[in-house]
Amino acid sequence: MPIEKLPKKLNETSGIVSYSKSTAWLIEDSGNSNHIYKTDFKGRIIKKLQVKNAKNIDWEDLTKDKKGNLYIGDFGNNANKRKNLVVLKVPNPEKEASSKIKASHIRFRYPEQKKFPPKKSNLWYDAEAFFYHAGSLYIFTKNRAHPFKGQTLIYKIPSEIGDYEAKLVGKLNLCLDSKTCKVTAAAISPDATTIVLLSYGKLWIITDFLIDELQKAKINEIDLGIRTQLESVCFTSNKTLLLSDEIREDTGGNLYTYTLN
């Protein structure tokens, strides 16, 4: 259910993460500034930080580790042409006293991609979703292939500064509707027993898994009953989610909460 309208300034939210049960940090995607924003649940921006030595090429998701470090996924790649994919790592923004925060770079590439762009049937290398777990970042691709077959690739990279070849650790076949079956955000619960994947109207709940064998896990699909541009999800507890959607015409721009059964 909706909690509140997001601040009007944030009309293209693409990632969300929470350090408390009453606030959230958000980013916007390509074409927007290199800032991260802390909001309350009354539609107000209460803190804004400029991310130094970084450019918002296409910021698409947020996650954090157990130490509070924040990771910004600059890996949006609609046309599958990019050769500068990167995750920006910044220290806990809750503790930053100034108006700027410094980013370190985790650069990576998909070793299976040989052409930039590949042919239409191999447009598998856009991504809008990831989460941190046990020293690694797990990236879920947004399938733009024609024809669409509902597959998301799962890649793994270290969470430390460096330049890496991403490791393909799995594939999930979620569903076949190209409008509602493309993964737009991901999150893992604080106790690491539940993973959620989001799309434009659906939520997949993944349980009973080994982290590098998600294709063998139990997956429950939930239709959220809306078809807005949902692009952000995070956990505030082991059972409670925050979600947000972009403003598109007369829809979106909301912050939602959802409780898992």
Side-chain angles (χ1 to χ4, degrees):
M1 61 177 292
I3 297 177
E4 185 57 74
K5 297 294 289 185
L6 289 169
K8 291 183 178 179
K9 165 68 180 73
L10 304 179
N11 59 11
E12 291 188 310
T13 56
S14 59
I16 189 170
V17 77
S18 180
Y19 288 82
S20 75
K21 293 183 179 181
S22 59
T23 60
W25 287 87
L26 297 112
I27 54 170
E28 295 186 284
D29 58 16
S30 61
N32 292 285
S33 66
N34 57 323
H35 287 82
I36 56 176
Y37 302 88
K38 183 180 181 180
T39 69
D40 61 16
F41 294 165
K42 296 181 179 180
R44 299 176 299 195
I45 295 174
I46 56 178
K47 192 173 183 178
K48 173 182 173 182
L49 294 177
Q50 179 184 358
V51 181
K52 297 190 295 183
N53 64 305
K55 182 181 179 180
N56 186 346
I57 298 174
D58 198 356
W59 293 4
E60 288 291 0
D61 206 2
L62 288 176
T63 189
K64 62 182 174 69
D65 62 24
K66 298 297 184 181
K67 296 180 180 179
N69 296 304
L70 181 70
Y71 300 84
I72 304 168
D74 188 357
F75 42 48
N77 190 19
N78 291 8
N80 283 224
K81 292 181 179 179
R82 288 184 62 182
K83 296 184 179 180
N84 58 348
L85 302 171
V86 64
V87 173
L88 305 171
K89 183 176 182 178
V90 302
N92 189 336
E94 295 278 322
K95 298 180 179 180
E96 181 56 58
S98 71
S99 61
K100 297 182 180 181
I101 194 165
K102 185 177 180 180
S104 300
H105 296 73
I106 304 169
R107 303 185 188 279
F108 71 96
R109 57 199 168 276
Y110 304 112
E112 290 76 18
Q113 183 174 7
K114 307 301 181 183
K115 295 184 179 180
F116 298 83
K119 58 185 180 180
K120 290 183 179 180
S121 60
N122 294 337
L123 293 174
W124 300 321
Y125 303 106
D126 184 22
E128 296 187 3
F130 78 144
F131 61 75
Y132 170 91
H133 177 71
S136 295
L137 299 167
Y138 288 82
I139 300 167
F140 296 78
T141 64
K142 184 177 184 179
N143 190 330
R144 294 184 179 274
H146 302 275
F148 179 78
K149 295 183 179 180
Q151 187 179 77
T152 180
L153 307 182
I154 309 166
Y155 281 95
K156 175 182 178 181
I157 61 173
S159 63
E160 298 302 320
I161 310 311
D163 193 338
Y164 303 101
E165 282 196 347
K167 181 181 179 182
L168 181 64
V169 294
K171 302 176 183 179
L172 297 178
N173 291 297
L174 297 173
C175 58
L176 296 176
D177 176 16
S178 63
K179 294 182 179 179
T180 59
C181 300
K182 295 177 180 178
V183 177
T184 60
I188 190 169
S189 61
D191 64 5
T193 63
T194 306
I195 293 167
V196 295
L197 304 179
L198 181 67
S199 75
Y200 297 154
K202 291 186 178 182
L203 192 68
W204 291 275
I205 314 299
I206 304 175
T207 54
D208 301 329
F209 58 83
L210 296 175
I211 192 66
D212 287 344
E213 298 182 0
L214 293 183
Q215 62 271 22
K216 299 179 182 179
K218 178 181 178 182
I219 303 178
N220 183 32
E221 178 185 299
I222 296 172
D223 192 321
L224 296 173
I226 59 175
R227 293 295 181 262
T228 59
Q229 195 158 333
L230 288 159
E231 295 210 357
S232 306
V233 66
C234 72
F235 281 88
T236 58
S237 71
N238 289 322
K239 294 294 184 181
T240 306
L241 303 174
L242 284 179
L243 305 91
S244 71
D245 47 15
E246 291 191 9
I247 295 174
R248 283 293 178 267
E249 297 178 351
D250 295 326
T251 66
N254 295 307
L255 190 64
Y256 306 86
T257 185
Y258 187 90
T259 302
L260 303 177
N261 291 328

